[in-house]
Amino acid sequence: MSKKGKKTFHSKKEKFSRPWQEESPVKAKKHLGQHFLKDEAVAQKIGETLKLNGYRNVIEIGPGTGVLTKYLLERDIDLVAMDLDEESIIYLNHSFPLEHNNLMQRKGEFKVLEADFLKFDLWTLFGEEQFAITGNFPYNISTQIVFKMLEFKDQIPEFSGMFQKEVAERICEKEGSKAYGILSVLVQAFYDAEYLFTVSPQVFDPPPKVQSGVLRLTRKENFHLGVDERLFKQVVKAAFNQRRKTIRNSLKTFNLSDVLREDAIFGLRPEQLSVADFISLTQKIANDTI
């Protein structure tokens, strides 16, 4: 966005005396998949996606220049900003607090960690306490972030953030669509998924070659499946790894009884099965006797 074309922001956004500058103190790095958000209005909308019901711990992944971080710090939370970029870590630890001194006076804690989220031991942050995850996620690891989030679903009541648009849509997609797949089923088994809004490439530096989408996941009140979760994942992955085949053919390696294989559900293709159908299918396989 050129300086001439910059928007004028009002209300509480005026408190942030240093909006995005063309000469940013932190440069986006291609090998880290960085595309820094530079639109204050979009950052504010993402910052407001978490409902914060019954918890106050939040991890922001990939804070970069702190554009989203500012709006998260306005809320009554304890925030951990986690990034692999040493340049970003230095900025957030030193320059950022000086530029936003009013936000630093709040009661909540703010920590900056130089760490790889995918490898980091999250138990060391909050113990057994509940926490949320949000951020403008690097697109090259965004699905891996979701899979790690699912490993901690007992502690994560909410998850929100920015993805490549197609990935965000896939996570939120329902049965009957070609985009519906492994990620859709595994996420929606435990969370209610909402696609919130689309973001254009022009609000990033550098602009990505794709549109982006922001979503929110809210953990279901009863998120225990009632079936073996490991078997559930195996069934879902096996089914979609051969998505053009019927369930009867894609699950051949499970050595199921002839009686079970005659069940009507085995004549369907995976994209025709709802999350509830996959749970039911898993239970039938668990109870199967050859």
Side-chain angles (χ1 to χ4, degrees):
M1 184 183 291
S2 66
K3 291 183 179 179
K4 183 178 179 182
K6 281 187 177 178
K7 296 180 181 179
T8 300
F9 297 97
H10 301 284
S11 67
K12 69 180 181 179
K13 289 187 282 297
E14 292 178 344
K15 292 188 295 184
F16 302 131
S17 59
R18 181 173 181 166
W20 176 268
Q21 298 181 1
E22 297 298 334
E23 294 300 323
S24 171
V26 184
K27 302 299 181 184
K29 297 164 186 65
K30 187 175 182 180
H31 73 280
L32 293 178
Q34 292 175 326
H35 296 277
F36 291 149
L37 181 63
K38 61 180 184 179
D39 188 304
E40 297 282 339
V42 172
Q44 182 180 353
K45 287 178 69 176
I46 298 174
E48 294 173 348
T49 54
L50 296 177
K51 297 177 182 178
L52 302 174
N53 292 330
Y55 70 94
R56 59 178 292 113
N57 300 314
V58 178
I59 298 175
E60 180 191 1
I61 300 174
T65 59
V67 175
L68 169 59
T69 310
K70 299 191 303 285
Y71 295 102
L72 293 172
L73 289 175
E74 283 201 322
R75 310 192 69 182
D76 184 23
I77 63 173
D78 292 331
L79 178 65
V80 175
M82 187 179 296
D83 208 304
L84 259 178
D85 185 357
E86 182 182 9
E87 199 173 39
S88 174
I89 297 298
I90 293 172
Y91 170 71
L92 290 172
N93 271 323
H94 300 285
S95 299
F96 181 86
L98 296 176
E99 294 164 7
H100 305 290
N101 181 61
N102 60 320
L103 291 177
M104 298 300 105
Q105 306 308 311
R106 53 193 284 281
K107 294 181 179 180
E109 293 186 11
F110 176 46
K111 297 180 182 179
V112 181
L113 288 181
E114 183 177 0
D116 182 343
F117 173 79
L118 297 179
K119 298 177 181 178
F120 192 81
D121 183 1
L122 298 181
W123 289 103
T124 63
L125 287 180
F126 308 117
E128 296 183 357
E129 293 181 15
Q130 300 285 290
F131 63 93
I133 295 174
T134 192
N136 172 27
F137 305 127
Y139 295 160
N140 56 345
I141 62 167
S142 61
T143 55
Q144 293 170 270
I145 289 173
V146 173
F147 283 126
K148 180 165 183 177
M149 179 273 296
L150 289 175
E151 294 176 14
F152 286 83
K153 60 185 178 298
D154 288 354
Q155 289 183 259
I156 302 177
E158 279 190 294
F159 175 100
S160 71
M162 182 108 67
F163 291 79
Q164 181 176 330
K165 185 174 185 285
E166 288 75 12
V167 176
E169 290 177 333
R170 189 183 311 142
I171 292 171
C172 301
E173 194 60 82
K174 299 297 183 182
E175 68 272 16
S177 165
K178 291 183 179 180
Y180 181 72
I182 295 173
L183 200 56
S184 319
V185 176
L186 295 185
V187 170
Q188 292 178 45
F190 308 101
Y191 290 85
D192 293 321
E194 304 171 81
Y195 184 94
L196 299 179
F197 56 91
T198 300
V199 181
S200 72
Q202 286 69 39
V203 304
F204 297 95
D205 178 49
K209 296 180 180 179
V210 296
Q211 287 191 312
S212 304
V214 175
L215 60 74
R216 174 172 56 222
L217 306 179
T218 305
R219 191 175 60 197
K220 295 181 177 179
E221 187 172 340
N222 181 8
F223 60 95
H224 299 290
L225 303 185
V227 297
D228 185 292
E229 287 187 15
R230 181 177 296 183
L231 178 59
F232 174 73
K233 293 175 184 177
Q234 290 173 345
V235 169
V236 173
K237 290 179 179 180
F240 281 105
N241 282 339
Q242 301 185 69
R243 64 180 303 141
R244 293 185 179 181
K245 295 184 177 181
T246 63
I247 299 296
R248 182 176 293 111
N249 290 320
S250 61
L251 299 189
K252 277 185 177 180
T253 58
F254 283 70
N255 296 319
L256 303 174
S257 68
D258 291 338
V259 174
L260 180 57
R261 285 165 52 81
E262 290 306 311
D263 190 297
I265 198 170
F266 283 84
L268 301 175
R269 290 185 171 84
E271 68 268 18
Q272 295 177 284
L273 273 65
S274 67
V275 172
D277 290 333
F278 272 107
I279 294 173
S280 175
L281 174 61
T282 301
Q283 189 61 62
K284 290 178 181 181
I285 291 174
N287 294 339
D288 187 40
T289 54
I290 298 178

